[in-house]
Each structure stands twice: as C-alpha cells, then as structure tokens.
Amino acid sequence: MKLTKTVLVIGAGINGLSCAILLQKAGCKVTIISKDDPQTHHSNSIFASYFPSASIIPHSIYSDELIPLFRESLHYFVSLHKHEYQGIGINEHYELFEFQKAIPAYAPLIPNFTELEAFESSWHPKHHSIKINSGWKFDCFFADWSIYYPALLEEFINRGGKLEIKRLDIDSIQRLPFQLIVNCAGAGASELFEQKNPLLYRGHLIHVSGAPILRNPLNKRVSYNFSPKTTSGKSSDVYCYPRKDGWILGGSRQKGTLGESGFWLGEESGELAEVINGVEAPKRILKLNKEIIKDSFGLNLDDYQQRSIKVGYRYVRDTNNGLRLEAEEWGDKLIIHNYGHGGAGVTLSWGCAQKVVSMIEARA
C-alpha cells in the first residue's frame, strides 16, 4: 500500500532514521526532530547511535517479538550487503565461553552458525590461559558506524526528509502540527511519555585508531566476543570489532540509571581502571583483548597508542519485555512507540521500522 501521510519521527538515532527511510519509501513525507544534531553533536552518551559496536546480533534485548523482528531485520541487512550499501560488511564472528553456554534461540536464523565442537581443533581466537568450553561462530553482518550512519542520514535528506534540532516536552508535542508521530526517542522517551527513570545499560567502548582489520588464516575478517568465568555473577565478556578506522574494544554491561545531575546511579565494575583521556574504563577490557589479539593474530595492542573512549548508554526500559513497539491514541494524535531496544538497536532497526510501517498501513 502506498501511503500519502505527513509523519513526524522523534529521534535521529538508528531507529528513528530507519523508520523515516521506510516511511519515505512507503510514500510519506517525513520530518525528524532531534534534540541533538546527528551531523555535528558527538558528546551526548544518551544519543546512543554514536556509540555502537554495530554487530547484527540480538544481544541484551528483552522482547517477546525478538525472533520475528530479528528475522525481518536480517533480511534487510542481507539486501543492503547484496547492493553494497555503504558500511555494511560481513565478519566471521566468534562467541566463545570458558563456561557452558546454551545455544541462543536465534541461532537457526544466523548464516553458517557452527558450534564449537566443529571447529575447536582448527584456528579460532584464543587466550593462552583460558580454556574455551563452549561457543559458536557464524557469518555476522556488521555496520561500520563511521560510514553506515552518515550514509543513512544522507539518504533520508536526499529523499526530501526534513531534520529539525530542538528539545521537546509533553506540552510542545501536543502543539506540534502532526497527527501521526513515531516515537524513537530512546531513553528520552521515558521523560516524554512514561515519566520515570529509564533502566540503562552502561558500556565502555575504546576506539583504537589505525589498527588493522583482523583476519583469519583464510583472510576472512574476524570479530569476537570472549567470556571468561566470573565469580560476581555479572557479564564479563570482552569483544573486538574491527572497523575501517581501527578497532572497537569493549566489555561492560552495567545496569542502572542516571540521576538528575546526570551522574551514573547503578552497577560499578569493581575492577582496576584504565584511564584514557581522563575517562575510566575497566582495565580488563584492554588487558584481555591485548592477550587475545596477541595469541590469535600475532599483533601487539601496544603498537597502536592513538586511543579514545566513549561511555555510552542503551535504554533497556524493562528486563521482562522492555521493547515498546505499539500504537497509542494521544488526544487527537496517534503515537507509534518504537524504543527500549537495549543493546540491539542496530540489530532490530529494520525489523522494528517495518513493523511501524505495517501498523500505520493497517490504520490507513
């Protein structure tokens, strides 16, 4: 069905842009309102689309609709890769555990999903003192963020999209001259529509500039998540995602919220810290990644000293069914909510966007 509607999208993150582009393709005239300018504003950690490792894997997401949304989204990434969309590539991705880990429910959807026993005697990322007891590898679509996100923004503008930079509140939303609004405000949605402190994941990401693409002996590009045992009960994996502009190293998922002054109120790592440009990150992220990269690829992390760090936040909202993907009558306006993606904002972006379009078509 071809739509001929004027639509406002709140939020210029990955889900806002994905919804806007699919709505444009469906025939809608779309305006995005964002409190931060995605073309210039890089300092706000709540604006999570500047801070993803951007692997297309449904990690840290709570939704009853996970499987169908991931399936739909994966179809889009397959198509984008086929048509050589900017920034979309494929990694041979490894998820390796020192402990026993159950196969994820989404495994049947993943291209070339292979369990550890089939490749443990051949090459894979390793650590000299950590025995891997379970895991898998698969072909993982990957969005090189410094390329992919600007390409999406350019596509939206080239399709006639309008971008406005301003801060909204409940009163100003009611006065907006739009009857159809798609709410992709992420953590900001809690202030606008729920009036409660958002449950967030805090993550530390270290960008190592100038580091080369990691490759296996067959020259395939490689990324990994590596999870040693922990006595704390908290996630302690580390990961490395090579991009064109270097490596993204990470490995912290701390639950909490932000106080009124913007300070973190929640879990702390309780670990030794590494300070990079005045910002602390768990030392484990650099230490373990350094050892894995040395043991697996023969490269020395210390050879690449140009580093920066970001502390980014993902809106979890709820650990039962945190994703909010539903329509709400709001006075004379129809609000389509699309937020609470946790750590899978990129992963589910196209699937959620298609669901939004379908909800609007059903009411046309």
Side-chain angles (χ1 to χ4, degrees):
M1 179 184 294
K2 198 71 172 177
L3 298 173
T4 56
K5 293 182 177 293
T6 299
V7 184
L8 170 67
V9 174
I10 300 176
I14 179 59
N15 283 281
L17 272 180
S18 301
C19 284
I21 289 171
L22 287 197
L23 285 166
Q24 287 174 320
K25 289 182 177 181
C28 295
K29 182 179 179 181
V30 184
T31 296
I32 293 177
I33 291 180
S34 172
K35 66 179 179 180
D36 297 312
D37 188 342
Q39 298 166 307
T40 61
H41 195 99
H42 295 192
S43 62
N44 187 351
S45 301
I46 289 291
F47 188 38
S49 284
Y50 280 112
F51 305 91
S53 47
S55 55
I56 311 307
I57 312 170
H59 284 166
S60 305
I61 171 68
Y62 305 96
S63 173
D64 294 337
E65 300 180 79
L66 173 61
I67 297 302
L69 289 172
F70 179 50
R71 182 187 294 112
E72 185 70 27
S73 210
L74 199 56
H75 287 328
Y76 274 86
F77 282 107
V78 169
S79 178
L80 290 175
H81 183 261
K82 179 181 178 180
H83 292 92
E84 299 182 340
Y85 198 89
Q86 295 181 62
I88 298 297
I90 296 178
N91 292 349
E92 183 174 74
H93 182 72
Y94 291 80
E95 299 198 325
L96 304 168
F97 307 87
E98 190 181 5
F99 47 89
Q100 290 298 319
K101 181 74 172 180
I103 301 297
Y106 54 80
L109 303 178
I110 300 282
N112 294 320
F113 188 94
T114 306
E115 295 185 51
L116 174 65
E117 62 182 6
F119 63 84
E120 62 182 334
S121 61
S122 58
W123 184 93
H124 55 76
K126 60 184 182 295
H127 186 282
H128 60 271
S129 65
I130 300 176
K131 177 177 171 52
I132 298 168
N133 286 297
S134 65
W136 42 83
K137 69 174 182 176
F138 53 86
D139 291 342
C140 177
F141 288 95
F142 176 80
D144 192 323
W145 210 247
S146 60
I147 302 171
Y148 177 61
Y149 183 82
L152 287 180
L153 186 59
E154 182 179 13
E155 179 178 353
F156 166 71
I157 292 172
N158 288 344
R159 288 179 176 275
K162 183 180 179 182
L163 176 63
E164 296 184 14
I165 310 303
K166 63 182 178 182
R167 183 177 292 271
L168 297 174
D169 56 29
I170 292 176
D171 292 336
S172 61
I173 291 174
Q174 291 173 335
R175 295 192 298 269
L176 289 170
F178 296 90
Q179 272 62 59
L180 181 54
I181 299 174
V182 181
N183 169 30
C184 299
S190 64
E191 301 174 10
L192 295 174
F193 297 98
E194 294 189 358
Q195 298 297 295
K196 67 179 183 181
N197 290 333
L199 177 60
L200 304 171
Y201 276 127
R202 180 173 71 166
H204 300 80
L205 300 181
I206 299 169
H207 180 208
V208 182
S209 298
I213 297 295
L214 298 178
R215 298 186 181 276
N216 69 11
L218 297 178
N219 205 38
K220 289 184 178 179
R221 192 170 71 179
V222 171
S223 57
Y224 64 79
N225 283 69
F226 198 100
S227 299
K229 290 180 180 178
T230 174
T231 58
S232 67
K234 299 175 183 178
S235 175
S236 67
D237 67 311
V238 298
Y239 55 80
C240 178
Y241 289 92
R243 303 196 314 193
K244 185 176 181 180
D245 60 353
W247 299 333
I248 298 296
L249 308 180
S252 60
R253 293 185 184 90
Q254 299 164 349
K255 291 181 183 179
T257 188
L258 295 179
E260 293 182 4
S261 58
F263 289 105
W264 176 249
L265 301 174
E267 295 177 350
E268 298 287 350
S269 65
E271 306 172 32
L272 294 175
E274 184 84 15
V275 180
I276 300 173
N277 300 331
V279 179
E280 290 188 351
K283 187 180 286 288
R284 166 182 50 85
I285 293 176
L286 282 172
K287 180 179 183 297
L288 274 178
N289 275 306
K290 177 181 176 178
E291 293 164 349
I292 294 166
I293 290 168
K294 179 66 174 178
D295 293 346
S296 307
F297 304 97
L299 297 170
N300 188 349
L301 179 60
D302 291 340
D303 291 340
Y304 309 99
Q305 288 296 320
Q306 187 176 347
R307 303 169 185 177
S308 59
I309 184 171
K310 298 290 186 184
V311 180
Y313 300 98
R314 301 290 186 271
Y315 186 20
V316 180
R317 183 171 177 262
D318 186 308
T319 54
N320 291 317
N321 188 20
L323 176 64
R324 189 179 186 192
L325 191 56
E326 62 185 9
E328 177 186 14
E329 300 288 345
W330 212 57
D332 65 341
K333 303 180 187 302
L334 177 66
I335 310 287
I336 307 289
H337 296 289
N338 178 23
Y339 64 95
H341 303 87
V346 183
T347 298
L348 299 185
S349 55
W350 294 111
C352 290
Q354 183 56 57
K355 181 72 177 288
V356 167
V357 174
S358 297
M359 285 191 283
I360 294 173
E361 287 177 338
R363 292 170 176 263

